[in-house]
Amino acid sequence: MATVKTMEKPNKKQVLLFYCVEAEELARKIAAQSDHIQLQSINWRSFDDGFPNLFINNAQDIRGQHVSFLASFSSPSVIFEQLSVIFALPRLFVASFTLVLPFFPTGSFERMEEEGDVATAFTMARILSNIPISRGGPTSLVIYDIHALQERFYFSDNVLPYFETGIPLLKQRLHQLPDADKVVIAFPDDGAWKRFHKLLDHFPTVVCAKVREGDKRIVRLKEGNPEGCHVVIVDDLVQSGGTLIECQKVLAAHGATKVSAYVTHAVFPKNSWEKFTHKNGENSSKGFAYFWITDSCCPTVKSIEKKAPFEVLSLAGSIADALQI
């Protein structure tokens, strides 16, 4: 009788994790997830003219090791110094190199609507596609909830994009709610529905849509019934938050008992998160009961700490797992 060989799980690899300044807190959370992840340091300095003066500590000791870098491209001003390190690390004779970029910041600028538009998502993908190959092969690039899945084709074969999602963190949190049996998922538009509905298919759903009335774009309920339910609006990112607020009003008008929101990437330029906070004991029924975000946008996490209705669902465990792939 023939014996069947079972696939043995490979031993976990030791990973050396470098990180940028603003991602230090997230890096420490990632390292706390596993004894197989060891934090490393970089001296982030500048010359008098403002250009980076960088130094990778213990550069000789990382030869032959599995190396990763946790990046945060929160603004154009910090991207160049991080790219300088990202392009240097694979050339230090490392066994493999993984770049973790939780938020791909130009992802919403992925198409041209008229001649002259610059699709900066493609530009960023081309830059990252030219990261030097390490001794172990192409760079692994970990990104969470990229704005459009077709952006995977913007990257060349010189890198291996690995697209993850924060939705499992949301699902885990929803099951902890006292009214978990009353949860309905709402999508603010068809794009969000296409992006996430298969990941949330065991929840009832509601879909909103923007329709043009004169010179204005109005949010309307397209399908589904939110009456008597705790409705959670799901999208990949938030900027000003205007669409979420309009969706909340529409859902409440159609009988939702509570409205909450989840986005993986809380960009919130110009402190636009402030319009969502509960002020002076404000009744959450007038706004959002919960607003869940991940820690993909590090500066935002520091700004909204301990401010209701915000609650941070950390990507640290998911990233620690991704570093073992």
Side-chain angles (χ1 to χ4, degrees):
M1 183 175 177
T3 58
V4 179
K5 292 185 178 180
T6 57
M7 293 282 290
E8 293 185 4
K9 289 186 177 181
N11 293 328
K12 287 192 173 183
K13 59 187 178 185
Q14 291 293 137
V15 178
L16 304 182
L17 177 61
F18 291 88
Y19 53 90
C20 66
V21 174
E22 65 183 34
E24 180 175 356
E25 184 175 346
L26 177 55
R28 294 192 180 282
K29 288 181 180 178
I30 294 168
Q33 299 289 319
S34 172
D35 293 335
H36 295 87
I37 300 174
Q38 182 180 343
L39 292 182
Q40 302 294 304
S41 64
I42 294 168
N43 293 343
W44 300 93
R45 304 165 299 189
S46 297
F47 292 108
D48 291 339
D49 59 4
F51 277 87
N53 177 15
L54 308 168
F55 186 81
I56 299 170
N57 294 308
N58 304 315
Q60 290 189 339
D61 295 337
I62 70 175
R63 292 176 179 174
Q65 304 294 317
H66 298 288
V67 172
S68 57
F69 181 80
L70 177 62
S72 176
F73 289 1
S74 60
S75 71
S77 63
V78 299
I79 291 177
F80 178 68
E81 64 181 15
Q82 292 181 60
L83 285 175
S84 300
V85 170
I86 290 165
F87 275 63
L89 285 170
R91 298 174 65 89
L92 293 175
F93 295 92
V94 301
S96 68
F97 181 62
T98 300
L99 171 60
V100 181
L101 182 62
F103 174 46
F104 186 71
T106 57
S108 57
F109 306 101
E110 85 284 6
R111 61 184 182 271
M112 294 174 59
E113 295 185 354
E114 62 177 311
E115 194 65 38
D117 283 342
V118 177
T120 51
F122 183 54
T123 306
M124 181 63 73
R126 291 178 70 186
I127 292 172
L128 296 177
S129 294
N130 282 285
I131 297 172
I133 294 175
S134 70
R135 292 178 69 183
T139 292
S140 299
L141 173 59
V142 181
I143 297 174
Y144 281 79
D145 289 319
I146 199 165
H147 184 67
L149 287 176
Q150 65 265 26
E151 291 176 57
R152 70 173 65 234
F153 303 111
Y154 291 0
F155 297 90
S156 78
D157 292 341
N158 292 332
V159 294
L160 301 174
Y162 176 65
F163 296 115
E164 260 290 3
T165 178
I167 294 297
L169 299 173
L170 171 65
K171 291 165 69 173
Q172 182 180 34
R173 182 66 182 94
L174 293 180
H175 287 308
Q176 296 169 354
L177 295 176
D179 57 353
D181 60 331
K182 291 287 187 180
V183 168
V184 167
I185 301 298
F187 300 106
D189 52 39
D190 287 333
W193 179 84
K194 291 176 183 177
R195 187 73 179 77
F196 293 117
H197 81 278
K198 289 184 179 179
L199 299 174
L200 294 158
D201 59 1
H202 60 291
F203 289 99
T205 58
V206 168
V207 182
C208 296
K210 293 178 183 177
V211 296
R212 186 171 295 280
E213 291 188 0
D215 294 333
K216 295 182 179 180
R217 288 174 66 85
I218 309 296
V219 175
R220 294 279 186 255
L221 187 63
K222 181 181 177 182
E223 60 183 74
N225 181 16
E227 186 175 0
C229 298
H230 181 177
V231 183
V232 180
I233 305 170
V234 175
D235 210 348
D236 63 321
L237 61 84
V238 59
Q239 296 267 1
S240 69
T243 298
L244 292 179
I245 290 172
E246 292 305 311
C247 283
Q248 186 274 332
K249 292 177 181 177
V250 169
L251 293 166
H254 282 80
T257 55
K258 289 182 187 176
V259 179
S260 296
Y262 166 85
V263 297
T264 303
H265 310 299
V267 184
F268 285 132
K270 299 179 181 179
N271 294 327
S272 54
W273 54 266
E274 292 177 346
K275 68 184 73 170
F276 293 93
T277 56
H278 296 168
K279 299 179 178 68
N280 302 322
E282 178 185 64
N283 188 341
S284 63
S285 65
K286 296 180 181 179
F288 287 82
Y290 298 94
F291 199 132
W292 293 291
I293 67 173
T294 76
D295 40 9
S296 67
C297 298
C298 300
T300 301
V301 172
K302 293 178 181 179
S303 298
I304 58 89
E305 189 175 12
K306 297 180 180 178
K307 291 182 174 66
F310 293 104
E311 187 177 314
V312 179
L313 308 177
S314 182
L315 295 172
S318 178
I319 293 174
D321 292 340
L323 292 178
Q324 289 297 328
I325 294 175

